[in-house]
Amino acid sequence: MRRKLRVAAYAVCVRDGQLLLARSPAPDGTPEWVLPGGGMESGEDPYDTVRREVTEETGYRVEVTGLLGADSLRLTLPGRPFGRATPYHALRLVYEGRIAGGELRNEVNGSTDLAAWHDLTAVPALKRVPLIDIALRLWRERPPTGHLEAERPPTGHLEAGHPAAGPEAEAAG
């Protein structure tokens, strides 16, 4: 049975009561907000991944100020027509970051199309991926283990192409 593992790194950047987010298309094409970050390249350190991804998606250079924790998400990706479902595991490392330079800009020809600051109080009303809520809990609670008790089931089904699944999920099935 084929299995997929995706390791990714994301940044929680809060400044003056605002959270830095990027916008990405959901599987149905409607935009949803995501944390700046993404998948590790082969041989890359996750510390370098988060710095590279924040720059790619927002234009900012980020100083990593701490590791907030890890989120592990296990899913079953549906098979393509006549294909088998694929077990999929997303390991998402969540860092805290401080903007150290650069200028806010939108990513061109990437996985996101808009970068913006949002008031922390407005985040619950945004169409967003669940990782944002998990990351904000890690940022607020700062559990010494870097692990949160799940508020969602640890397993589930997700369409290939969903940002939480990552690009590797497209090939699954």
Side-chain angles (χ1 to χ4, degrees):
M1 175 185 296
R2 283 181 47 178
R3 298 171 197 257
K4 293 286 183 182
L5 171 66
R6 180 176 188 256
V7 181
Y10 298 89
V12 173
C13 299
V14 175
R15 181 173 73 182
D16 300 327
Q18 294 188 316
L19 176 65
L20 180 62
L21 296 174
R23 191 177 68 183
S24 182
D28 66 3
T30 61
E32 63 185 353
W33 292 99
V34 299
L35 286 172
M40 282 178 40
E41 295 178 357
S42 180
E44 187 177 35
D45 187 283
Y47 176 87
D48 297 324
T49 300
V50 73
R51 294 175 23 205
R52 173 182 55 78
E53 287 282 347
V54 170
T55 301
E56 286 177 6
E57 294 179 357
T58 71
Y60 287 126
R61 288 187 322 276
V62 67
E63 173 190 349
V64 174
T65 58
L67 176 62
L68 295 172
D71 180 63
S72 183
L73 178 66
R74 291 172 303 283
L75 308 166
T76 300
L77 298 173
R80 305 276 177 166
F82 312 110
R84 291 187 199 182
T86 303
Y88 181 82
H89 186 180
L91 176 60
R92 289 107 50 108
L93 303 174
V94 180
Y95 291 93
E96 182 173 25
R98 183 185 68 76
I99 304 305
E103 292 185 21
L104 184 64
R105 61 144 176 82
N106 301 327
E107 184 176 23
V108 177
N109 298 323
S111 60
T112 65
D113 66 355
L114 180 65
W117 291 95
H118 296 272
D119 287 331
L120 285 168
T121 57
V123 170
L126 297 174
K127 181 172 170 57
R128 64 198 183 284
V129 297
L131 181 60
I132 291 174
D133 297 331
I134 293 165
L136 284 174
R137 278 189 62 208
L138 286 166
W139 179 74
R140 287 181 177 117
E141 297 175 20
R142 299 183 186 266
T145 62
H147 178 75
L148 295 171
E149 291 303 317
E151 288 187 350
R152 59 168 164 67
T155 60
H157 296 276
L158 187 68
E159 290 182 31
H162 190 280
E168 297 85 20
E170 279 297 318

